[in-house]
């Protein structure tokens, strides 16, 4: 091969370098190499995607987390029957009340029963609501009569639970009513 | 495929055989073909025989591991020299930072390293005929690293400018320029030899 100008200029250097003996690998080179390759075991075993995904070292923390989540849900579900959020509970339908869209739907009694209704209202007022009235008896009667006329309600139309009292129980009840009337008149001062 | 047939294959055919059929024998043939040229190349660059053998072994291991990364577009020799060159440069940088010097590379302890006596040429063993070689090697190691590599590839390994350009990643003009500068430095350092 013809030498170019540079190679002619440096011919002695090039010849000197070419005269160097070739440095060779040791005789045990290939044996040592294959021993290293076989001991490290790379390049032959390719793990599939699924093998990599389900490697134990990768699986353990995620499996532990999954187990903890299942346990937590189980515990929460066990307790869920005991504690219900009252705000989310639907009210139970009462069967002992009437359904009426307006007052006119409620069946009313006749005027002849006004006295009885007055008493009934009075009973209701006294017995039910913790109401304390400081008016005189006359005012009370006017209130009662007004209320009796305006809200004349027949017991027959209401779904009161009927309780049959004995004579002794009725007597005791009347005594209690008298006592409360007295209290109201005196202003509750004992 | 028989061993005789494998020996008849080119380097590129052997690596393809290794890639497709995992024929370890094909790999072993490539190792036997390139172990000495690569050892020579890396030793002339590093100057330490033990480190040089390690680097060449690492090169072969990388060929074994990453055989599928070789593309038949390039020559196999270019690919393997690139791997060896990268490893040699890394080792050179590491030595430069540490500033370590191997006592073995100058033959002060002859029989320590190898278990099996090796009758082949040993650059770390000083003989009468080896003194001149040692002087040349010392001079070569004093040449700038970037010039030294291309001078070795061109004037010792007999590679073409195109192959050197592919191995080093430099354009051909830069390759030629660096080769000449390296030769000039060597000529200055070896002028006393040329006077003899």
């Amino acid at each position: 091969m013809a030498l170019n100008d540079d190679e002619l200029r440096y011919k002695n250097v090039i010849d000197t370098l070419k005269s160097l003996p070739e440095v060779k690998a040791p005789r045990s080179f290939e044996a040592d190499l294959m021993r290293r390759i076989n001991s490290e075991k790379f390049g032959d075993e390719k793990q599939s995607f699924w093998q990599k995904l389900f490697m134990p070292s990768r699986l353990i923390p995620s499996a532990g987390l999954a187990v903890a989540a299942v346990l937590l849900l189980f515990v929460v579900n066990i307790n869920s029957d005991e504690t219900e959020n009252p705000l989310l509970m639907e009210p139970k339908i009462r069967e002992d009340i009437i359904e009426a869209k307006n007052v006119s739907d409620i069946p009313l009694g006749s005027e002849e029963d006004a006295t009885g209704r007055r008493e009934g209202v009075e009973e209701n007022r006294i017995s039910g609501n913790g109401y304390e009235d400081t008016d005189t008896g006359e005012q009370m009667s006017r209130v009662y009569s007004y209320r009796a006329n305006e809200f004349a309600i027949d017991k027959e139309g209401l779904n009161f639970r009927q309780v049959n009292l004995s004579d002794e129980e009725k007597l005791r009840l009347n005594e209690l009513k008298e006592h409360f009337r007295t209290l109201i008149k005196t202003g509750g001062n004992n | 495929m028989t061993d005789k047939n494998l020996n008849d294959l080119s380097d590129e055919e052997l690596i393809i055989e290794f890639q497709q059929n995992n024929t370890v024998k094909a790999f072993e043939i490539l190792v036997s073909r390139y172990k000495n040229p690569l050892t020579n190349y890396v030793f002339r660059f590093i100057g330490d025989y033990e480190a040089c053998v390690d680097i060449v072994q690492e090169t072969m291991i990388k060929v074994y591991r990453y055989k599928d990364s070789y593309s038949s577009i390039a020559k196999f020799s270019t690919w393997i020299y690139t791997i060896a060159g990268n490893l040699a440069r890394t080792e050179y940088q590491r030595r430069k930072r540490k500033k370590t010097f191997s006592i073995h590379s100058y033959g002060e302890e002859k029989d320590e390293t190898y278990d099996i006596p090796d009758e082949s040429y040993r650059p770390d063993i000083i003989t009468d005929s080896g003194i001149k070689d040692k002087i040349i090697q010392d001079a070569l190691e004093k040449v700038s690293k970037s010039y030294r590599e291309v001078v070795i590839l061109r004037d010792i390994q007999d590679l073409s400018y195109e192959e050197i350009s592919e191995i080093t990643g430099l354009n051909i003009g830069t390759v030629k320029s660096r080769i000449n500068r390296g030769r000039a430095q060597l000529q200055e350092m070896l002028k006393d030899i040329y006077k003899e």
Side-chain angles (χ1 to χ4, degrees), chain A residues 118 122 133-145 181 184-186:
Chain A
R118 188 184 310 123
E122 184 178 336
D133 195 309
T134 55
D135 289 345
T136 61
E138 291 180 357
Q139 288 178 344
M140 286 298 293
S141 65
R142 281 202 297 275
V143 169
Y144 288 151
S145 65
R181 282 199 196 101
I184 290 167
K185 285 179 182 177
T186 59

Side-chain angles (χ1 to χ4, degrees), chain A residues 1 4 6-7 9-14 16-30 32-34 36-38 40 42-44 46, chain B residues 22 27 31-32 35-37 39-40 43-44 49 53 56-58 60-61 64-65 68 118-119 121 133 136 151 154-155 158 161 180 183-184 187 194:
Chain A
M1 185 172 69
N4 56 33
D6 291 325
E7 289 174 345
R9 190 192 311 171
Y10 299 110
K11 188 175 181 308
N12 55 351
V13 173
I14 295 171
T16 302
L17 292 173
K18 288 187 184 303
S19 69
L20 288 171
E22 183 186 32
V23 176
K24 294 184 179 179
R27 286 186 179 178
S28 62
F29 181 87
E30 278 139 310
D32 293 339
L33 174 64
M34 296 314 293
R36 281 182 68 179
I37 288 173
N38 292 330
E40 292 183 29
F42 46 72
D44 291 337
K46 288 186 180 179
Chain B
N22 210 27
F27 170 73
V31 171
S32 67
K35 64 176 182 178
N36 291 334
T39 303
N40 192 50
F43 176 79
R44 296 300 176 196
Y49 188 72
V53 172
V56 177
Q57 287 224 343
E58 283 295 325
M60 299 303 183
I61 289 172
Y64 186 94
R65 287 183 73 174
D68 294 324
D118 196 334
E119 302 300 325
Y121 171 73
D133 298 338
I136 298 170
V151 166
R154 176 64 181 170
D155 295 334
D158 283 330
Y161 289 114
N180 286 330
R183 287 168 178 168
Q187 193 173 57
Y194 300 133

Side-chain angles (χ1 to χ4, degrees), chain A residues 12 16, chain B residues 132 187-196:
Chain A
N12 55 351
T16 302
Chain B
K132 186 179 178 184
Q187 193 173 57
E188 180 62 28
M189 284 185 277
L190 296 173
K191 59 186 177 182
D192 294 333
I193 294 179
Y194 300 133
K195 289 178 182 178
E196 295 175 0

Side-chain angles (χ1 to χ4, degrees), chain B residues 142-159:
Chain B
K142 290 176 184 173
V143 174
S144 302
K145 179 199 63 152
S146 55
Y147 305 158
R148 187 191 325 159
E149 182 181 8
V150 292
V151 166
I152 293 170
L153 289 171
R154 176 64 181 170
D155 295 334
I156 298 179
Q157 302 300 113
D158 283 330
L159 298 184

Side-chain angles (χ1 to χ4, degrees), chain A residues 7-8 32 87 152 179-180:
Chain A
E7 289 174 345
L8 283 170
D32 293 339
L87 298 177
H179 176 67
F180 281 113

Side-chain angles (χ1 to χ4, degrees), chain B residues 41-138:
Chain B
Y41 161 55
V42 175
F43 176 79
R44 296 300 176 196
F45 185 73
I46 296 290
D48 185 326
Y49 188 72
E50 280 186 27
C52 148
V53 172
D54 283 341
I55 289 170
V56 177
Q57 287 224 343
E58 283 295 325
T59 302
M60 299 303 183
I61 289 172
K62 283 184 181 294
V63 169
Y64 186 94
R65 287 183 73 174
Y66 305 112
K67 63 182 187 296
D68 294 324
S69 65
Y70 168 75
S71 171
S72 57
I73 296 173
K75 286 180 66 176
F76 177 79
S77 60
T78 304
W79 186 55
I80 199 169
Y81 267 99
T82 303
I83 297 172
N86 290 336
L87 291 171
R89 271 180 243 115
T90 303
E91 173 65 16
Y92 176 85
Q93 292 298 331
R94 191 187 69 83
R95 285 167 167 263
K96 193 176 178 183
R97 284 192 299 270
K98 285 190 173 182
K99 294 183 181 177
T100 56
F101 300 96
S102 172
I103 60 174
H104 295 284
S105 63
Y106 298 101
E108 294 181 14
E109 298 178 23
K110 295 181 183 180
D111 299 324
E112 186 179 88
T113 312
Y114 303 100
D115 296 329
I116 301 171
D118 196 334
E119 302 300 325
S120 61
Y121 171 73
R122 290 280 302 276
D124 55 341
I125 299 175
I126 297 178
T127 61
D128 293 337
S129 61
I131 295 176
K132 186 179 178 184
D133 298 338
K134 187 175 177 312
I135 294 172
I136 298 170
Q137 178 62 31
D138 290 346

